[in-house]
Amino acid sequence: MRLLLLLIATVVAGIAVLTLGTGSASAATVPDSVSHAVVAGDRQAVQLAAPLAGPRAAPASPAAPAGPSSPTGPTTIDVGGNTKPSTSITILLLLTVISVAPSLLLMMTSFTKIFVVLSLTRNALGLQTVPPNQVLAGLSLFLSMFIMGPVLSKVNELGIQPYIHGTKNQQTAFHDGMVPLRVFMTAHTRPEEIALMLRAAKLPNPEKISDVGLTTLIPAFVLSELRSAMIIGFVIFIPFLVIDLVVSSSLMSLGMMMLPPVSVSLPFKLLLFVLVDGWGLIITALVQSYNSS
């Protein structure tokens, strides 16, 4: 056992001697250029470190600020002239119009009158959900676009396009664009409704109809449209009311009092409405009521 340990120690010592000899030989065979580079690098490091070891230099004083330069000419900012609006302003106005479009559609066009007349026609037939409200609203919308087409074209020609091209400012474009709408609403508004709104607001009578403000003209126009729609609805109800009375009297005379008259009169009302082309007559009367004035 001791002999084995001695043998291992001898081998380890030989390996260490060989390693040290190889390292010495490698250091001895280093080229002179490398050694000179190392020495030069040490000298350069010493030269760079010498200024740092000395006293620090005083910081340089900052330069004095330059004086303001005199303006070359007057600076003007145009906020309301006849200039073409930017894209951001155009998009902002478009979003504003879209947000108030339902109110404008209800209050300043023929939509209200058409929708009320179509709803009364449905009730006169005895139908509660047929046609649905979506269908009536869509039909009223497209009929309103058909009726208001010339008016909207004039609004675009007098107000929107000149403002987009920069030939009119905002105030002038709004005033000129509202003229066709004012003419349309004035032509379909009764003087009684205008007088009613003036008395309600305690305003003096204007010298001419064009002097009536929009806050007075718009509600007066809506009241006139509702009145006209109710009159048309009354005329539509009369023939269907006659059918209901005839059916009720016939059922009473036959002793069938437990049978609802509506279930018997509804087929006859639908047959009458289809034979006389009721939808066509109503739509034709609505369109002609705006074209005649």
Side-chain angles (χ1 to χ4, degrees):
M1 187 63 181
R2 291 181 180 179
L3 181 61
L4 180 60
L5 293 176
L6 181 61
L7 181 61
I8 293 173
T10 303
V11 173
V12 171
I15 293 174
V17 170
L18 291 176
T19 305
L20 292 175
T22 305
S24 301
S26 300
T29 58
V30 173
D32 295 338
S33 59
V34 176
S35 62
H36 289 308
V38 172
V39 173
D42 295 339
R43 291 178 180 177
Q44 186 177 5
V46 172
Q47 291 176 359
L48 292 175
L52 296 177
R56 300 180 63 182
S61 60
S69 60
S70 59
T72 57
T75 302
T76 58
I77 299 177
D78 190 4
V79 296
N82 295 335
T83 58
K84 185 177 180 180
S86 61
T87 305
S88 59
I89 297 298
T90 304
I91 294 176
L92 179 61
L93 293 176
L94 179 61
L95 293 177
T96 303
V97 172
I98 292 175
S99 62
V100 300
S103 299
L104 298 178
L105 180 66
L106 291 174
M107 299 299 171
M108 303 177 66
T109 65
S110 58
F111 179 85
T112 301
K113 179 179 178 179
I114 297 174
F115 186 76
V116 171
V117 170
L118 295 180
S119 299
L120 291 176
T121 303
R122 182 181 63 182
N123 293 335
L125 287 170
L127 303 173
Q128 301 299 324
T129 58
V130 180
N133 289 329
Q134 291 82 357
V135 175
L136 296 183
L139 181 59
S140 302
L141 176 62
F142 282 98
L143 286 176
S144 300
M145 293 174 60
F146 175 76
I147 294 171
M148 301 293 298
V151 179
L152 297 179
S153 299
K154 292 181 181 179
V155 171
N156 181 59
E157 179 182 353
L158 297 177
I160 298 176
Q161 292 301 325
Y163 176 72
I164 293 177
H165 292 88
T167 57
K168 293 181 181 180
N169 55 21
Q170 296 180 6
Q171 184 177 2
T172 305
F174 177 78
H175 180 270
D176 295 345
M178 287 300 299
V179 170
L181 285 174
R182 290 181 63 94
V183 172
F184 173 80
M185 290 188 293
T186 302
H188 299 90
T189 304
R190 296 197 314 155
E192 291 80 1
E193 271 74 21
I194 296 178
L196 173 64
M197 297 307 303
L198 291 174
R199 298 290 81 79
K202 298 181 180 180
L203 296 175
N205 294 329
E207 296 181 358
K208 50 185 178 179
I209 192 65
S210 59
D211 295 336
V212 179
L214 289 176
T215 56
T216 303
L217 181 60
I218 292 176
F221 169 73
V222 175
L223 292 177
S224 297
E225 291 290 280
L226 291 176
R227 179 179 179 275
S228 301
M230 295 297 179
I231 293 175
I232 296 175
F234 172 76
V235 176
I236 294 173
F237 260 93
I238 291 178
F240 300 114
L241 180 61
V242 172
I243 294 176
D244 288 334
L245 291 175
V246 171
V247 171
S248 299
S249 302
S250 301
L251 293 177
M252 290 288 292
S253 61
L254 295 175
M256 294 184 293
M257 294 179 293
M258 301 300 295
L259 182 63
V262 177
S263 60
V264 179
S265 62
L266 180 59
F268 293 101
K269 290 190 289 186
L270 291 177
L271 179 62
L272 175 64
F273 194 73
V274 171
L275 290 178
V276 300
D277 191 15
W279 292 117
L281 292 176
I282 293 173
I283 291 174
T284 301
L286 288 173
V287 174
Q288 290 180 353
S289 66
Y290 290 102
N291 294 335
S292 60
S293 55

